[in-house]
Amino acid sequence: MIIWLNGTFGAGKTTTAHELIPRLQGARIFDAEKVGEMLWHVLGVPERDFQDYQPWRGLVVETARQVLDYVGGTLVVTQTVLNKGYWDEIHMGLAKAGIPVFHFLLHTDRDTLIHRIETDIKPESIKAREWRLDHLADYQQALPWLERDAEVIDTTCVPPSDVAELIVRKSGIDTR
């Protein structure tokens, strides 16, 4: 099974994932971005986004399938996917592999997102700050289909531990 945490940068995907793992027996975080980083070494850094590489989408599905076949449990995927066609391709691939997916959109208002992005002091976040801010318009554009395709959870004034508990309840997964 997969719990996919979607949403733009600063919505709380990574923090929520780390809150979810101890609550779910056999759960592991699968950072699909690492698949994209691996492709950089083979295909070069993409002009816009590694998700534009078709192999990324197929490799995310295949990696998830193989990891779940190997260890079982639940994968918590923290990956922003704003292109509906890309999401459909991934979701259909996972369904074809027989992997149930709970798709959650972690959402907050624009001002909160900007504040979270600008005050994130992790070194990798500082380097990526402008890129993240530049993609807020893409998130706003994707929001209508995301709201239709995912269970929306507003993270504006909700602690990550409460968001994790809500996800556990909404997905109906047995906890430890």
Side-chain angles (χ1 to χ4, degrees):
M1 163 182 322
I2 289 178
I3 295 177
W4 195 291
L5 302 180
N6 205 342
T8 196
F9 314 98
K13 297 180 302 296
T14 301
T15 306
T16 299
H18 287 285
E19 290 285 338
L20 271 171
I21 296 303
R23 290 170 168 79
L24 303 172
Q25 188 170 9
R28 300 165 192 278
I29 293 176
F30 172 34
D31 184 351
E33 190 168 315
K34 300 299 182 195
V35 175
E37 291 171 3
M38 181 269 306
L39 285 174
W40 290 349
H41 297 286
V42 179
L43 302 175
V45 176
E47 186 174 314
R48 187 174 184 297
D49 192 322
F50 60 75
Q51 292 182 17
D52 295 336
Y53 288 140
Q54 189 283 327
W56 177 80
R57 301 182 298 278
L59 286 170
V60 165
V61 170
E62 185 59 19
T63 303
R65 184 192 67 75
Q66 289 205 23
V67 168
L68 287 171
D69 283 351
Y70 187 68
V71 297
T74 301
L75 291 181
V76 177
V77 181
T78 57
Q79 183 65 52
T80 301
V81 179
L82 302 179
N83 182 307
K84 176 137 174 55
Y86 295 174
W87 171 252
D88 289 344
E89 186 178 337
I90 292 166
H91 191 250
M92 286 187 303
L94 294 168
K96 186 176 178 181
I99 302 169
V101 177
F102 292 95
H103 184 200
F104 292 95
L105 172 64
L106 304 188
H107 175 76
T108 190
D109 63 83
R110 183 176 176 82
D111 289 341
T112 301
L113 288 170
I114 291 169
H115 174 75
R116 289 178 182 174
I117 292 167
E118 289 181 343
T119 58
D120 191 346
I121 60 171
K122 294 186 296 291
E124 65 275 8
S125 299
I126 293 168
K127 184 178 178 185
R129 182 174 291 146
E130 285 305 312
W131 191 90
R132 292 173 178 185
L133 290 169
D134 289 346
H135 281 75
L136 290 179
D138 294 338
Y139 173 69
Q140 289 300 315
Q141 187 175 359
L143 198 52
W145 77 260
L146 285 167
E147 290 175 326
R148 286 190 307 272
D149 283 23
E151 178 83 28
V152 179
I153 298 177
D154 189 328
T155 66
T156 305
C157 296
V158 183
S161 59
D162 291 352
V163 174
E165 285 298 325
L166 186 57
I167 289 169
V168 168
R169 278 198 315 273
K170 288 181 176 281
S171 59
I173 297 172
D174 288 333
T175 59
R176 294 178 189 201

